Amino acid sequence: MGLRDFMDSILGRSRLPKAKTDKLFAISTASVTLEISLGLKPSGAAGICFKPIAASAYESARKEIQELLEYSSKETKTEFRLEKDEFNFLWAIFKDQDFEDLVASVHLVSETLEGHGFGEQLLCAIYRFDSEPEVGNIGDRKAVYWIYNFKQGTYYPFVPLSGKQRDNPLEFRLRAEMEREMPVEKNVEKWYPLWGIPF
């Protein structure tokens, strides 16, 4: 523990933990099990959510993030857009039918942002999967999100329903099925709902 850490602990200040990007690739191999065993297909969409950035730094941060995305997407041909939501969170949204490229793009961008000092702004990476409709219910697909919490270095499932409800039984089933294949958050109190995911 350094002097700064010591002083912060005495004064009651704490710093956010650094973003953990090393376990992002676990979703790549897990996607095979999700599709074969659970009927969940990658939708071709993913995103990174950032904490709100102070107005004074927002434009320069957005420009830098935009340039990083343009650079990284040249390799994979992954489409992207930046979007600000109603809570002032900034989203980098990716589209690519090749799931491996999608995961690689999210990892590259998060690593690059971490390297450029935006690590504390990284909240989560989100991958959308779509369930197969039940027999006789054509068009009854359900969006299933796997959310990677950068601070914890773990994934958790999020299955939103209408009226800001969640499909808890499915979320618990997904955890039971996938915890051997990927780092799944054990503390369900940290399974934060993200209402209004823009993809």
Side-chain angles (χ1 to χ4, degrees):
M1 173 150 73
L3 179 61
R4 185 176 184 174
D5 294 331
F6 177 71
M7 291 303 293
D8 284 346
S9 67
I10 288 176
L11 297 173
R13 295 184 299 217
S14 63
R15 281 187 257 155
L16 292 172
K18 290 189 173 207
K20 298 173 185 167
T21 59
D22 55 326
K23 298 176 185 164
L24 271 170
F25 281 111
I27 195 81
S28 287
T29 54
S31 70
V32 175
T33 303
L34 286 166
E35 188 166 354
I36 292 171
S37 299
L38 299 166
L40 298 174
K41 293 187 177 212
S43 72
I48 298 176
C49 184
F50 306 90
K51 280 186 358 184
I53 300 169
S56 59
Y58 176 75
E59 275 312 313
S60 64
R62 182 183 174 103
K63 185 176 185 229
E64 192 169 346
I65 292 167
Q66 179 84 22
E67 289 169 1
L68 288 167
L69 291 170
E70 286 171 5
Y71 174 76
S72 65
S73 68
K74 287 179 184 174
E75 287 288 315
T76 61
K77 305 290 187 245
T78 301
E79 296 175 27
F80 71 90
R81 73 181 192 274
L82 289 177
E83 190 173 304
K84 206 173 188 183
D85 71 13
E86 62 184 294
F87 305 106
N88 269 349
F89 288 95
L90 182 63
W91 291 81
I93 301 166
F94 305 91
K95 291 230 180 257
D96 196 321
Q97 291 307 310
D98 183 327
F99 190 69
E100 298 294 322
D101 283 352
L102 202 57
V103 174
S105 291
V106 168
H107 184 265
L108 177 63
V109 168
S110 60
E111 283 281 305
T112 306
L113 290 171
E114 173 85 23
H116 282 75
F118 291 106
E120 290 185 1
Q121 260 59 45
L122 292 171
L123 288 179
C124 58
I126 303 160
Y127 299 91
R128 179 181 169 152
F129 290 80
D130 292 323
S131 67
E132 289 294 315
E134 293 178 21
V135 178
N137 291 334
I138 304 300
D140 191 25
R141 291 183 182 268
K142 189 179 286 188
V144 174
Y145 296 96
W146 279 97
I147 300 173
Y148 181 78
N149 182 326
F150 282 107
K151 306 307 181 225
Q152 302 297 322
T154 55
Y155 282 93
Y156 64 91
F158 176 56
V159 186
L161 300 173
S162 63
K164 291 200 176 183
Q165 299 293 314
R166 299 172 75 158
D167 189 339
N168 293 122
L170 179 55
E171 291 176 354
F172 287 119
R173 181 174 159 228
L174 290 168
R175 177 181 68 176
E177 293 280 339
M178 300 308 297
E179 61 190 353
R180 289 179 302 281
E181 292 205 33
M182 57 197 283
V184 177
E185 177 59 55
K186 294 184 185 331
N187 183 353
V188 296
E189 290 179 9
K190 293 184 179 178
W191 291 14
Y192 307 112
L194 294 178
W195 306 113
I197 296 173
F199 59 90

